Amino acid sequence: SQSTDVPTGQGFANSFKMDCTTADASPAAGDYNTLAQIFEGQNLQYLKKGTSDAESLTLSFWVYATKTGTNICELYDVDNTRQISQAYTISSSNTWEKKTLTFAGDTTGAFGNDNGASLQLNFWLAAGSDRSSGTLSTTWTSVTNANRAVGQVNHADSTSNEFYLTGVQLEAGQTSSDFEFLPV
């Protein structure tokens, strides 16, 4: 749902809220839960993916959760079935924390220059063993499901769990800038 709980003094009016209403403390091997944003290839050509000049991407966001521990963000290249994951830690329960992750540019496989889904940003919230039993892929690689969300805590293991997200910004380069507020 949408919430008005936001980090103080940052200019945000709303956040995304995941409120666990049915607990799943032991997800089946194939179970998973993600929050995803999909980008069209025609809007990503400036990244020069698939060339020796491929741009890095930096993701910044604010997160607040009941559950602390390791969480995974993933970039999934839909066009070329490739992915890269980065871990971040929620250090304090029920506290807004700003996170910044940088993903290397990918010199393999260009995005299609069309309005089809080319890149998917995944915030993992829970992952069964099919997607968490390998070694986390922290460099661009062909997709191996077991390596996509290794170490992810289970935000769905208790009905008292909540997960909030706001101020998500994905930009080219290796540093994050202040959040760019744009009119809708």
Side-chain angles (χ1 to χ4, degrees), residues 48-68:
K48 301 173 279 218
K49 188 174 178 308
T51 74
S52 59
D53 294 324
E55 297 278 349
S56 297
L57 285 168
T58 296
L59 174 67
S60 56
F61 57 93
W62 287 86
V63 63
Y64 173 110
T66 308
K67 194 162 183 108
T68 61

Side-chain angles (χ1 to χ4, degrees), residues 70-171:
T70 300
N71 289 264
I72 306 300
C73 282
E74 174 192 40
L75 294 179
Y76 182 90
D77 173 353
V78 177
D79 290 331
N80 301 288
T81 322
R82 294 175 59 75
Q83 64 85 222
I84 185 173
S85 296
Q86 295 290 334
Y88 68 95
T89 301
I90 295 176
S91 303
S92 299
S93 181
N94 300 324
T95 302
W96 281 104
E97 298 176 15
K98 185 176 184 183
K99 304 298 176 182
T100 302
L101 305 172
T102 299
F103 298 86
D106 188 10
T107 58
T108 301
F111 291 131
N113 191 8
D114 54 31
N115 66 352
S118 287
L119 183 67
Q120 183 170 319
L121 167 62
N122 292 317
F123 286 89
W124 288 85
L125 300 172
S129 61
D130 283 358
R131 287 171 177 77
S132 63
S133 61
T135 302
L136 191 66
S137 294
T138 57
T139 59
W140 281 101
T141 186
S142 295
V143 171
T144 299
N145 275 338
N147 299 340
R148 294 177 66 187
V150 178
Q152 175 64 46
V153 298
N154 182 359
H155 288 284
D157 66 357
S158 170
T159 56
S160 63
N161 288 354
E162 294 179 340
F163 180 93
Y164 297 79
L165 190 65
T166 196
V168 178
Q169 185 163 275
L170 184 65
E171 55 194 313

Side-chain angles (χ1 to χ4, degrees), residues 1-4 14-19 35 162-165:
S1 63
Q2 181 173 283
S3 173
T4 56
N14 300 103
S15 62
F16 163 86
K17 176 184 178 186
M18 189 280 298
D19 183 12
L35 172 63
E162 294 179 340
F163 180 93
Y164 297 79
L165 190 65

